[in-house]
Amino acid sequence: MPATVVLGAQWGDEGKGKLVDQLASEADWVVRFQGGSNAGHTIVIGERKLAFHHLPSGITYSHCNLVLGDGMVIDPWKLEQELDSWHAFGGERPEGNRLFISERAHITLPYHRILDGADKEIGTTGRGIGPTYRDAIDRVGIRFVDLPSVLSDDSRIKSMVNRMNLQLKAAGIESSIDEVTLKTDLNWIQTRFGDCVRPTGVMVDHSLKRGEFVLLEGAQGALLDISQGTYPFVTSSVTSRANATHGAGIHPGHVERCIGVVKAYTTRVGHGPFPAELEDDVGRHLGEVGHEFGTTTGRPRRCGWLDMVPLRHAMRVNGFDEVVLTKLDVLGGIDELEIVIGYDIDGLQVHEFPADIDSLKRAKPVTIKLPGFNPISLEGWLKIAREARATGQGYSILPEEAQVYIETIEKLLGVPVTSVGVGPDREASIEKSE
């Protein structure tokens, strides 16, 4: 069975976790292929809300194997916290049994977090992601497979400490690293997670050859991609489809289906240009009704209309076969909806997403207007979703104005919207009827 890729099509926070959680009910493997503890996704099961940063969404299904892939940067202390939280919730210790860490994944150390904390311009999470990836590119990082050899070489430990302290000093940071603490930390990581470390790319490749169902789960979103996003206000990894298989350790021929997850409006966290942003009552409505606060940082998200300009860019780069639309319910109660279809930049109307950040800062949105629909309670939306599932009515069960909104998105993107989320509960989704 071919692999399926699930990607965020905007600036992250689109609701990928909920979709992967739904798909994982039938999956044999869920593989995270990039990023680290800067990512966050929330899964709602009844009254319980589970927030994860490293752990793939398939954690909630005991039959599903989980991989932290080759392309990830992993903070062992944050991972430990998540595993403890999962144990408290589900009574399970999956590490080494169905949770596996790639031997090729890089390790985020306290030094990386300290260095990342000095950032004042990009608006990073401060979780050490950029410095860890930088060490990987500079070929001075530590992968999980390297731990035994590093621990047996005191001269290498000393060299690492010297390099780290020089970089901290250059960044104007007073903190320093010492050899004893670094070696103690590395020993703990090896003791705690050594049994989880595997050649995960080989394992996933074998599973695909056996015909098993593999989900490749991305973190962040297409517009935060280091090469294709709103540089420099981006993350430090390739978040796009091209890295899904590479970061998992398999070849791209394995992928047959790529799903783009799109929020029914647009949000972004941190700094950077955001032409569709609304700093008015509608923006406040989206933030309050949508509970738009970052899973990782808790920072309020900036909110705006659905913007087709960056979505078309994400579509070109990733080749989505279909789109899953999330949080449609949040639009309820807005009298008139708008969708951004282009930008006015210095009097020139453009429809392609600018690479130049200064042009993007000057962009003014060009929109089309659509009728809004009445608000419905979360319980009401969940009831509608369950009825749609039971009767097979699909989108015809939705308010007519909501159906027009979905159809407009399909026409503008050129791919089908195959599912619509109408609430945080894992059951609050409506599938498109055949």
Side-chain angles (χ1 to χ4, degrees):
M1 180 179 290
T4 293
V5 180
V6 176
L7 302 173
Q10 295 156 300
W11 276 283
D13 309 311
E14 301 93 349
K16 300 179 293 296
K18 177 183 172 183
L19 174 60
V20 175
D21 175 60
Q22 293 168 334
L23 294 173
S25 65
E26 299 178 358
D28 299 291
W29 296 77
V30 177
V31 183
R32 253 289 290 283
F33 62 83
Q34 49 75 224
S37 63
N38 57 335
H41 52 260
T42 303
I43 297 170
V44 178
I45 305 174
E47 299 297 319
R48 295 298 300 268
K49 184 180 290 187
L50 306 174
F52 300 130
H53 301 280
H54 288 96
L55 294 178
S57 304
I59 185 73
T60 58
Y61 298 99
S62 60
H63 71 274
C64 189
N65 295 297
L66 313 168
V67 170
L68 305 184
D70 301 357
M72 285 189 67
V73 291
I74 298 169
D75 184 327
W77 291 270
K78 297 295 183 183
L79 179 57
E80 168 87 343
Q81 291 174 7
E82 287 185 61
L83 288 167
D84 284 347
S85 296
W86 174 248
H87 181 258
F89 174 78
E92 182 199 8
R93 287 289 183 189
E95 47 269 50
N97 296 313
R98 65 183 185 99
L99 171 67
F100 308 104
I101 298 172
S102 168
E103 60 187 0
R104 297 176 182 271
H106 278 256
I107 299 171
T108 295
L109 296 167
Y111 147 78
H112 296 114
R113 293 197 300 269
I114 295 168
L115 193 60
D116 200 17
D119 167 68
K120 304 297 181 200
E121 297 182 8
I122 304 302
T124 72
T125 61
R127 295 291 182 92
I129 307 305
T132 311
Y133 274 117
R134 187 185 71 181
D135 277 3
I137 297 299
D138 285 345
R139 290 160 288 189
V140 294
I142 302 178
R143 305 172 300 167
F144 280 87
V145 74
D146 301 324
L147 283 169
S149 61
V150 171
L151 285 166
S152 65
D153 188 346
D154 287 342
S155 64
R156 189 168 174 184
I157 295 282
K158 183 176 182 178
S159 175
M160 290 172 58
V161 167
N162 289 338
R163 174 180 56 80
M164 290 176 178
N165 286 331
L166 283 171
Q167 291 182 351
L168 290 172
K169 185 177 180 180
I173 298 170
E174 294 182 1
S175 301
S176 62
I177 309 298
D178 65 80
E179 294 175 38
V180 173
T181 301
L182 178 58
K183 193 166 185 178
T184 299
D185 286 345
L186 296 178
N187 262 312
W188 174 78
I189 297 167
Q190 175 64 14
T191 301
R192 177 66 182 86
F193 294 108
D195 290 342
C196 306
V197 178
R198 298 283 198 284
T200 54
V202 176
M203 295 167 71
V204 174
D205 182 65
H206 286 171
S207 73
L208 286 163
K209 290 174 179 175
R210 291 193 299 267
E212 295 177 353
F213 180 21
V214 174
L215 283 172
L216 304 180
E217 178 184 33
Q220 288 89 36
L223 303 179
L224 292 175
D225 186 281
I226 187 69
S227 299
Q228 299 294 339
T230 48
Y231 188 88
F233 302 99
V234 292
T235 193
S236 303
S237 60
V238 175
T239 64
S240 302
R241 177 178 183 166
N243 192 37
T245 50
H246 190 74
I250 56 176
H251 67 73
H254 283 299
V255 175
E256 186 175 80
R257 182 187 186 195
C258 183
I259 305 172
V261 184
V262 176
K263 194 177 288 186
Y265 47 102
T266 310
T267 62
R268 78 169 300 174
V269 173
H271 305 157
F274 183 10
E277 185 171 9
L278 295 169
E279 300 181 272
D280 56 12
D281 289 342
V282 174
R284 285 187 285 275
H285 169 99
L286 296 173
E288 291 169 7
V289 177
H291 303 288
E292 294 295 352
F293 297 91
T295 304
T296 298
T297 63
R299 291 179 294 184
R301 298 179 184 131
R302 301 154 63 191
C303 301
W305 294 121
L306 181 66
D307 192 341
M308 301 305 298
V309 182
L311 276 178
R312 284 194 295 268
H313 175 74
M315 179 72 196
R316 174 175 58 81
V317 170
N318 293 285
F320 302 126
D321 300 299
E322 61 191 88
V323 160
V324 167
L325 191 70
T326 63
K327 304 188 84 165
L328 180 70
D329 54 296
V330 175
L331 298 180
I334 301 174
D335 294 334
E336 187 175 62
L337 304 174
E338 296 185 42
I339 296 176
V340 179
I341 58 168
Y343 298 150
D344 184 303
I345 302 178
D346 302 330
L348 179 67
Q349 191 166 136
V350 300
H351 296 276
E352 295 299 332
F353 198 54
D356 175 43
I357 206 73
D358 291 327
S359 296
L360 200 55
K361 288 177 181 177
R362 299 195 304 275
K364 299 176 181 178
V366 177
T367 68
I368 57 172
K369 301 181 187 297
L370 298 170
F373 51 91
N374 293 328
I376 300 173
S377 68
L378 288 179
E379 293 78 9
W381 281 114
L382 186 56
K383 183 179 179 181
I384 290 171
R386 286 170 174 165
E387 184 179 347
R389 190 174 298 109
T391 62
Q393 293 182 71
Y395 299 161
S396 64
I397 200 171
L398 292 168
E400 184 177 349
E401 297 86 355
Q403 294 181 52
V404 170
Y405 191 76
I406 296 167
E407 290 167 1
T408 303
I409 293 170
E410 289 184 319
K411 290 175 183 176
L412 291 171
L413 270 186
V415 294
V417 175
T418 55
S419 177
V420 173
V422 291
D425 194 279
R426 63 172 19 162
E427 293 187 58
S429 295
I430 299 172
E431 303 295 319
K432 188 173 188 176
S433 59
E434 295 296 331

